[in-house]
Amino acid sequence: MAKEQQNDSQLQNILAGSCPTSLLLQPLPVGQPPVTLHWEVSMDRIRPFVPEIFNNLHALSHPGVRASLEMVAERYVWPSMRQIVGLWASTCLQCQRAKVSRHTRSEIGKFEQPSSRFEHVHIDLVGFLSPSEGFRYCLICVDQFSKWPETFPL
């Protein structure tokens, strides 16, 4: 981490004074043999300056923008952290694939009443269920005329 901090151009600009920030960074020795890491010390707990940690934390559970920011901010700090974490979380491909952006409700189907049995049959597949005798799905068929249900394990 010390090497990464030494190679980080953003941290070097902050330390040189060419990048204004509200961060209060302080070098502190850590470990055996001691290495110097830069820490943000303005809050009640010190946090290391680590610019590329988001992917490791966010990938644990893909919690969303607000929760990702809270999770990162309680442990680490870097300039523009709120904007960067917000952008990363909102553009995460796995989050976008799993996210439900709008719930839709379909109108209940309107069917004419059939005049005889098996003229109109409703079919549905239910599953992935806990296995029971090797079956994980159920095929459900209902005759609209008689309302007779049949269920077949698959």
Side-chain angles (χ1 to χ4, degrees):
M1 185 185 267
K3 286 180 185 178
E4 291 298 322
Q5 282 188 351
Q6 288 174 356
N7 296 333
D8 185 61
S9 60
Q10 188 176 27
L11 176 61
Q12 298 310 316
N13 290 338
I14 292 170
L15 295 175
S18 59
C19 181
T21 181
S22 61
L23 299 177
L24 181 57
L25 296 174
Q26 203 173 56
L28 298 170
V30 176
Q32 287 294 340
V35 294
T36 301
L37 292 177
H38 287 85
W39 300 78
E40 206 280 331
V41 295
S42 65
M43 300 179 75
D44 57 343
R45 106 175 67 150
I46 63 172
R47 301 172 294 171
F49 180 93
V50 183
E52 291 295 326
I53 200 67
F54 172 79
N55 289 331
N56 293 335
L57 289 175
H58 179 76
L60 293 173
S61 63
H62 297 278
V65 176
R66 186 179 304 147
S68 292
L69 180 61
E70 288 174 10
M71 188 169 40
V72 171
E74 77 180 31
R75 294 174 180 88
Y76 307 102
V77 65
W78 63 85
S80 306
M81 183 173 64
R82 181 175 303 279
Q83 291 84 8
I84 292 170
V85 169
L87 179 64
W88 275 337
S90 64
T91 58
C92 172
L93 291 178
Q94 287 180 315
C95 288
Q96 295 303 312
R97 286 185 189 124
K99 183 173 123 181
V100 175
S101 60
R102 182 180 55 176
H103 295 278
T104 59
R105 291 184 182 249
S106 299
E107 186 177 317
I108 294 175
K110 296 178 183 170
F111 304 100
E112 290 184 28
Q113 187 62 28
S115 57
S116 64
R117 291 182 293 162
F118 307 114
E119 189 176 307
H120 191 112
V121 178
H122 297 276
I123 298 177
D124 197 7
L125 185 64
V126 178
F128 190 76
L129 305 171
S130 298
S132 175
E133 297 181 21
F135 299 107
R136 289 189 172 267
Y137 298 91
C138 282
L139 177 65
I140 302 171
C141 305
V142 179
D143 173 44
Q144 186 177 345
F145 180 78
S146 66
K147 310 292 191 254
W148 182 263
E150 289 283 339
T151 305
F152 305 95
L154 301 175

